[in-house]
Amino acid sequence: MLTRIVAATLFALAAISAHAEDVHPSDWQEVLEEARGQTVYFNAWGGAENINAYIEWAAGELEKRYGVRLVHVKLEDTANAVATVVAEKAASRDTGGSVDLVWINGENFAAMKQRELLFSPGWADALPNWRYVDHENKPTILTDFTIPVEGMASPWGMAKLVFFHDSARMDENALPRDADGLLEWAKAHPGRFSYPQPPDFIGSSFLKQVLLEKVEDPSVLQEPVVEETFEDVVEPLFAYLDALHPVAWRSGRIFPQNYPAMKQLLADGELDIIFAFNPSEASSAIANGELPGTVRSFTFPGGTLANTHFVAIPYNASAKAGALVTANFLISPEAQAKKQDPAVWGDPTVLALNKLDEEARARFEAIELGVATLAPDELGPALPEPHPSWMERLEEEWKRRYTAEN
Amino acid sequence: MTKEGLFLDGVTIALEGRVLVSLTCRVAPGEVLTVMGPSGAGKSSLLAYLGGFLEPAFTARGRALVDGVEITALPAEERHVGILFQDPLLFPHMSVAGNLMFALPESVKGRAERMRHAEAALAGVEMAGMGDRDPATLSGGQKARVALARVLVSEPRMLLLDEPFSKLDMELRQQMRMLVFSKARESGLPVLLVTHDEADAKAAGGEIVRIGE
Amino acid sequence: MLTRLGPLVTILLLTGPIAFGLAGTVLPAFGFLPVLGGMELTLQHVHALLSQPAILTSAAISLAAGLVTALFSLGVVVLFVAGWAGTQLFGRVQHLVSPLLSLPHAAAAFALAFLIAPSGMAARLISPALTGWERPPDLLVVHDPMGLSMMAGLIVKEIPFLLLMTLAALPQVRLKETRTLAASMGYGRVAGFLLGVWPAVYRQIRLPVFAVIAFATSVVDVAVILGPTRPAPLAVRLVEWMNDPDLSMRYLASAGALLQLTVTAVALGLWMGLERIGRFLCIVGVEKGVRLRRDALLRGAALLAMGLAAGAVFAGLATLALWSFAGLWQFPDALPASFTLKSWMRAMPRIASPLYTTLLAGLLATLIAGLLAILCLMREEETGRRPRRALMLLYLPLLVPQVAFVFGLQLFLIYADLLATLPALVLAHLVFVMPYAYLSLKDPWHAFDRRYNQVAAGFGKGRWRRLALVRLPMMTRAVLTMGAIGFAVSVGLYLPTVLVGAGRLTTITSEAVALASGGDRRIIGVYAFWQMLLPMLGFGVATLLPALIFRRFRGMQV
């Protein structure tokens, strides 16, 4: 008798929790209804004010239009949000989790997907606004760092490694054209180049850029790291860094903590060349008075690293419906156009302009890209991101070699 | 209620086993018992004992009764023992009238009525019309008189005086002695005066007990 | 009995979170963490810790930071008090320095960073005229590998703290008499003070000095803003491991926390050694009769150090304020090319929520701490005991490195499903506010003339009415000052906020430090401005409110 009661209770509980999982964008009306009144904790890196301001704007719109309250949990590192979900799973907190939406890509996405910490099955391609997304021409929307996305994350913006310099201080013709050129330039101008200290995202990306250029056979990078050959594969990268550090900013004894810190150093005149993952970042900074109007962009003719960044929903999120509504709003033509405006953020859109209606397209075309932003055809080839395991191992190796000064 | 005055029944106060005070005596209503002795002799502990504020380090035996009520069995706030110290100790955050109304028993109801009582008490010490004043603006003699009016208006069972005149100058001291003792007599209050000023004792006119000698 | 409850709750409050927190931190270091399946005791995590790159360098930096900070700030304070106490100038400097006590550590660190960086205000003021620098020099000042700028950031904050602690202890020694006596025997001011007065004063401020050492060996916020990065001080690396997505890093973090405890304990042990040396030197000085009559240079140096420490923070704060209104501001311009309200307008909507949390957590923690402190003090009066050992207990949260027990506490809060809730945040703040609330209320409480209580009791007023109608109103200023101090402590708390708030409950300070790595000086300026403003508001209220309420009563004015 008792066992039957227990079994029935368990069954009822299972039914309830199954129901709680039930939201799916295929029934959008139901999602909207359930989302109303929910609070969505959006875990997103909070180190850049323009991005924070944009999220603030989105929060206002979501509240107004859908009754969804978006709270920006400002992270120093996206890994912290992953850690939270991991801890919650370890503590068997499978519902009512504290993270509802997370800004993510690369190794963090890979980690969450592999540990089955993501809301599944795939939902992103069932969002109403997915129909505008340019997944045909932007392969990184479907494959993130060699990992198939499978709809478990919704694209938010495009990123490409772009270099900035102050044309008032630097001759346009002296600009380096590849990683080796950059090293030569740094030797000629000691103390004027640096990169954010890994495991900062931008800093690690610089390591990957150099590795992609210097590696003998780039195809190994598309596969997970093989420990036996790791040393040999990365040898040229660390030889490069060993040569770079003595002529880097502060003689390579310390490194900027992240991109905004590098931006400040360019503004102060401490650095002459910096780089970011956002082609219009320099124009935004000029518009905000953070960089002088003489700053310009350049890339390497041989190509630079490119990827897509996403938003994803943890499996135990408290406000899944609200998170879905948020993800859908973030890829609406209106939100995407505002995001691309350098005066706001300047993050390139994931949408295909030819899929938009007249009015939406006009919105994009009206955006003043800014003096420092390269036109899409000037950006040069896109180099695909290596498998996430490379980033992890590179960071580890960097730490091992350079954590302490020698 | 019969007016029997104060009865100290075998009151013994000791500190760390050393007996400081050991006293049995009666004080009739309106009469003054003067306790004299050098400092540290236990005069203040006797007052603290009667007021209900004896430090835990002291031990006390015996009991004290006023008009048949054993006050030493009551908590401090139910003893209704009026105290005058050498400082007037007017509450600095209340007006003069406020000080008096604070002391008035709760049985006097209504703000206007309480105000009237306070004004009457002030008039009784020649301070009529001073109710609105900030105590800090009064002279030393005025403060002493307000303190007296305040303790009287609280309708105490008895008065404890802890060298209340020692900080006044010669002339004022004489005036205040007269005023305090005559008021106590008027109200029929038994008074216990602690002092080391012989003149105080003389003015009090009652029995004198010397301790610590 | 309510007053009996006071000490009991306080003791539970001080020891509970620390004991549970330490257990939650230390057990995983030896492999015991059942949620992750760790049931066996092992030393493997300690070994893993020791094989971390440059871990001993990190520990050494932390150790050095603790000792250097304490030695330097105490040295400046001692020499300053020795050389100048009783002079007019002393009073003026004291007034200048006191407000710095309420400034959060992070704000002071930002101020210093904005001043001394190669592109900072100091370099701008003298460039290019004096230096010829058209661009910032490639000098390693902030984040220097030895942690000197971090220590400087700590020193400028600890000097006001130790100075005020010393000032509180001074009335208990006969400064003037001893000084006159020493002078009549031909001792210089400094020597007279050091040999005659100092030993008695030092006994009073020993625990605060220990608190400085414990704090400096385990600081996170100042280290993030000013400290070395290759490697970072131990506590900073600990927090990184605690936040690592790889859960197994929690074992490593726990082992690290154990190392942190060791480092702090070693620092305290070494300090006690230094105390012995100091005592020995004092004895030698007395026996030899070292008079040091020409101490003008020493006195001058002490004054200079004092002024420099305070001046640097004020100049830095001014620079911060300037940045918050700056448009483009290139090196070496001493002033921005343009001024704008843009940073404020961008930041303000996002400040609202952390501001609300800061105020709520601060006020609640302070209120509870104040009530408990009053209950404890009432109980002390009732029993007539002034418990010395309990005082030790009060310092416990200040002597155990925060990072070593708040991490364990976090685990318990996750279990209890209380992480990132307001009650948990208030509790965590309470642990640190409580000591300051009690310590700041203690002296005024005992100084209250208890005869007022006896008078009121004679009028038939019970103890709670005596408290509410007589004692508290008369002590309004002291109570509000206690509140302002408690609130300032709460505003400045970084690590407990980050670990217990878990990013969902944020305060001005946790937000400001999170921005530190972002480097946008304008926005940091706005946040640091608020950090500076909030405690000041508290003290403003504590000064103005009593004056306003009791404006009719001269006896209530100071």
Side-chain angles (χ1 to χ4, degrees), chain B residues 41-98:
Chain B
K43 300 192 305 280
S44 301
S45 345
L46 178 62
L47 290 195
Y49 169 67
L50 292 173
F53 285 97
L54 196 62
E55 295 282 340
F58 292 87
T59 50
R61 277 186 289 119
R63 51 183 198 145
L65 296 91
V66 183
D67 299 338
V69 178
E70 185 182 345
I71 58 163
T72 41
L74 299 172
E77 60 266 22
E78 284 167 32
R79 295 184 181 190
H80 296 286
V81 171
I83 312 178
L84 283 180
F85 291 100
Q86 52 187 320
D87 299 300
L89 298 175
L90 300 181
F91 300 119
H93 59 297
M94 303 174 188
S95 67
V96 167

Side-chain angles (χ1 to χ4, degrees), chain A residues 41 46-47 49-50 52-53 56 73-74 76 79-80 82-83 86-87 90-91 93 98 115 169 191-192 197 248-255 257-258 260-261 264 267-272 287-292 399 402-405, chain C residues 35-36 53-54 57 118-119 124 135-143 145 229-231 237 243-247 250 323 327-331 342 346-347 349-350 414 417 494 502-504 511 514-515 517-523 527:
Chain A
Y41 287 97
E49 270 315 301
N50 52 346
N52 295 348
E56 190 72 24
V73 179
K74 295 190 196 74
E76 276 182 69
N80 294 357
V82 182
V86 169
R93 194 162 144 190
S98 54
R115 289 162 182 261
R169 292 200 297 261
R192 297 301 175 195
Q197 177 168 341
W249 178 72
R250 304 279 189 265
S251 311
R253 296 177 70 195
I254 60 169
F255 297 84
Q257 289 300 298
N258 51 29
Q264 186 69 58
D268 289 339
E270 297 210 33
L271 296 180
D272 278 341
N288 278 330
E290 294 169 291
L291 288 177
K399 241 189 254 180
Y402 304 125
T403 287
E405 283 193 61
Chain C
V35 245
L36 292 187
T57 316
S119 58
R124 285 169 191 264
R135 304 174 62 173
D138 192 7
L139 295 175
L140 190 47
V141 183
V142 174
H143 299 302
T229 53
R230 293 182 52 212
R237 295 181 74 179
N243 286 324
D244 199 285
D246 185 356
L247 266 195
R250 299 221 156 198
W323 266 106
L328 188 65
W329 189 3
Q330 286 185 284
F331 194 86
K342 211 167 161 180
R346 276 197 302 161
R350 260 152 293 130
I414 293 176
D417 212 5
Y494 170 69
R504 280 186 288 156
E511 290 282 85
L515 283 170
S517 60
D520 187 339
R521 294 194 189 129
R522 294 165 185 81
I523 302 297
Y527 276 85

Side-chain angles (χ1 to χ4, degrees), chain C residues 12-29:
Chain C
L12 278 180
L13 189 74
L14 293 173
T15 52
I18 295 176
F20 276 101
L22 279 180
T25 305
V26 171
L27 289 179

Side-chain angles (χ1 to χ4, degrees), chain B residues 3 23 40 45 59 69 72 76 103 126 133 140 175 184:
Chain B
K3 289 269 184 185
L23 205 57
S45 345
T59 50
V69 178
T72 41
E126 292 160 37
R133 292 280 291 270
Q175 279 179 23

